[in-house]
Amino acid sequence: VLRGTVKTNEWINANPDKAKASANAKLKADSGKELDAKVLDPAWQSILVTDDPLATTLKTEADWAVKAKLLDKPDLTGIYDLTLLNKVLKAAGKPEVGDGGLAAK
């Protein structure tokens, strides 16, 4: 699954027009309607397809939720184990991703 995801993300980034068309075709198949190019084109430009689960983003969002009193400070320790993903990335010649300090201790 991880190897397939990394390869798919690589393909999407290498073929943005084909990926966009494929996503829109799937949307049409599932919902009966595709997105108009006036909506899809600018939206697609703002999408970043990455192998990185962005662990630091999760911590930041949790901190904001605590500050907004939406939740008590969560213990996110151990929520990420990127061992297998980093193994796949390394084998593909890609940089490893970080756990943002949220790995099990």
Side-chain angles (χ1 to χ4, degrees):
V1 171
L2 290 172
R3 281 190 292 266
T5 300
V6 169
K7 286 181 180 182
T8 299
N9 290 346
E10 184 176 2
W11 182 87
I12 290 168
N13 286 316
N15 302 281
D17 290 335
K18 288 180 182 178
K20 178 174 57 172
S22 179
N24 210 19
K26 181 63 173 159
L27 182 63
K28 184 176 182 179
D30 288 349
S31 71
K33 284 186 77 175
E34 61 184 10
L35 290 174
D36 186 272
K38 291 178 186 178
V39 174
L40 183 58
D41 291 346
W44 198 264
Q45 292 176 7
S46 68
I47 295 172
L48 172 65
V49 177
T50 179
D51 300 313
D52 191 339
L54 305 173
T56 56
T57 300
L58 178 64
K59 183 175 180 340
T60 299
E61 290 174 351
D63 291 344
W64 289 343
V66 169
K67 187 175 181 177
K69 299 183 187 213
L70 296 172
L71 54 89
D72 294 330
K73 184 164 180 67
D75 180 7
L76 299 174
T77 303
I79 197 164
Y80 286 102
D81 180 353
L82 302 174
T83 306
L84 294 176
L85 175 58
N86 280 326
K87 183 177 178 180
V88 168
L89 291 172
K90 185 176 181 180
K94 298 178 179 288
E96 294 184 355
V97 295
D99 62 25
L102 300 178
K105 296 181 180 181

